[in-house]
Amino acid sequence: MDTHTYKTLFKYREWNDNGFRAIVENEIYIPSPKDFNDPFDCRISTRFLNQDEGFWKQFRAIWEKDQRLSQENLDHIIEEMKKDPLTAQEQIDGDLFRENDKYLGILCFSTEWDIIKLWSHYAAKHQGFCIGYDLDLLISLLSNPTHKKVKYTETHPEVTLELAYGDNHSELTDVISFHKSSSWEEEKEYRITTVIGMPGTLKSRVLNVPNEAITEITLGINCSRIHEEGIKSICAEKGIKLFKAKKVNFKFEVCRDEVKI
């Protein structure tokens, strides 16, 4: 877990059903990795393709120590895996990813409210809004949370056999859940992972937060007057600070003014 310096995390939203529930019902949906728009996200595993004899010797030693397989069964499994490593890789990855998709929940935020591209992509071309959440309060509401900034990298992370079959679960979570391609770096993402207690139910992935968990809302540059008045009314009722974004003259930047409510 990071010794974090962030008090507020930001979620860019558009004015649809999900955005409406986020500020009216105080709902946050906790997505599964399978819900992500990046097919590489959380799809990191141990590589069984093109491995040398040293790798298979180590793999055998791990399972011999585990003692759940007979020597005959272990010999057969390793022989089949070496014969067709691509199929073995697909089967192992499939089992791992399905399990993670079922029990893992990942809340994704940005550490900044003023990223122009995020306003364009996630807030309906600046017509939506950006919610600021109290990080410490969110953490206190979740089961076994791990939280930190996403690490962006040019190279694909490696899950070693020691890591995959060892006891260092925090490091394994870090590699799988907190690494992304450097092409996403501009999002400045901060994640909170949690364990889903009742997988398969929508209710288990909906987090209801108290009013004080929402510390601020910023309206997009192109937010309509109707939506602005609606959010203004909600903020007044719940005691949430409200801001309105605007373009900085002669710069590719946005700033904001506080809205009196």
Side-chain angles (χ1 to χ4, degrees):
M1 185 184 301
D2 278 355
T3 304
H4 61 279
T5 57
Y6 301 102
K7 292 184 177 180
T8 306
L9 298 179
F10 298 95
K11 190 74 173 178
Y12 295 78
R13 307 305 301 252
E14 57 182 298
W15 192 261
N16 56 17
D17 287 344
N18 290 333
F20 181 80
R21 287 196 297 270
I23 58 174
V24 175
E25 306 295 336
N26 292 9
E27 285 187 3
I28 304 177
Y29 178 70
I30 308 173
S32 161
K34 65 182 175 61
D35 297 324
F36 293 158
N37 58 5
D38 177 7
F40 298 93
D41 203 342
C42 296
R43 293 326 195 208
I44 299 169
S45 63
T46 302
R47 180 168 63 88
F48 288 88
L49 296 172
N50 303 317
Q51 293 288 12
D52 58 22
E53 284 303 316
F55 172 89
W56 294 109
K57 183 178 180 180
Q58 185 181 12
F59 182 74
R60 176 186 293 278
I62 289 170
W63 280 100
E64 286 177 342
K65 185 178 180 180
D66 184 87
Q67 296 184 336
R68 280 183 290 175
L69 293 173
S70 68
Q71 191 66 48
E72 183 179 353
N73 284 342
L74 181 58
D75 289 343
H76 175 72
I77 289 170
I78 291 176
E79 182 181 346
E80 291 300 310
M81 292 176 72
K82 291 169 72 173
K83 198 183 303 181
D84 188 1
L86 180 58
T87 297
Q89 185 79 60
E90 291 174 347
Q91 290 176 345
I92 292 170
D93 286 355
D95 291 343
L96 171 65
F97 299 153
R98 277 190 296 273
E99 195 74 3
N100 282 348
D101 289 346
K102 188 185 297 183
Y103 292 101
L104 184 61
I106 303 181
L107 290 169
C108 306
F109 302 93
S110 177
T111 59
E112 308 289 341
W113 68 268
D114 58 353
I115 302 175
I116 295 173
K117 186 172 282 189
L118 297 194
W119 278 106
S120 297
H121 286 178
Y122 301 119
K125 304 175 185 177
H126 299 252
Q127 298 174 68
F129 51 96
C130 181
I131 306 173
Y133 290 99
D134 183 302
L135 171 56
D136 288 328
L137 208 159
L138 289 181
I139 293 168
S140 72
L141 298 172
L142 295 167
S143 172
N144 299 317
T146 299
H147 58 94
K148 61 183 71 178
K149 289 179 68 176
V150 167
K151 299 174 185 176
Y152 301 98
T153 176
E154 294 283 350
T155 57
H156 197 275
E158 179 183 0
V159 177
T160 63
L161 285 172
E162 296 94 335
L163 194 55
Y165 296 95
D167 297 323
N168 196 338
H169 302 300
S170 61
E171 185 178 349
L172 182 60
T173 298
D174 177 80
V175 173
I176 293 175
S177 303
F178 292 93
H179 284 76
K180 292 183 70 173
S181 163
S182 56
S183 60
W184 294 92
E185 191 166 6
E186 61 195 357
E187 293 197 345
K188 298 181 181 178
E189 188 175 347
Y190 194 104
R191 287 185 165 180
I192 308 173
T193 66
T194 186
V195 176
I196 301 300
M198 296 184 295
T201 63
L202 178 62
K203 184 178 180 181
S204 68
R205 289 192 175 272
V206 175
L207 178 67
N208 292 100
V209 302
N211 287 342
E212 54 267 29
I214 301 177
T215 60
E216 62 178 68
I217 295 177
T218 301
L219 302 168
I221 293 171
N222 297 324
C223 184
S224 71
R225 186 66 179 172
I226 293 175
H227 289 159
E228 182 174 336
E229 289 301 318
I231 294 179
K232 187 175 179 179
S233 175
I234 293 168
C235 288
E237 179 185 341
K238 297 186 176 185
I240 300 170
K241 282 188 176 182
L242 182 63
F243 300 88
K244 180 71 162 70
K246 63 181 183 180
K247 293 191 290 184
V248 176
N249 291 331
F250 308 108
K251 290 184 178 181
F252 293 123
E253 296 177 13
V254 293
C255 61
R256 63 183 185 176
D257 294 324
E258 186 167 356
V259 178
K260 293 181 179 180
I261 53 178

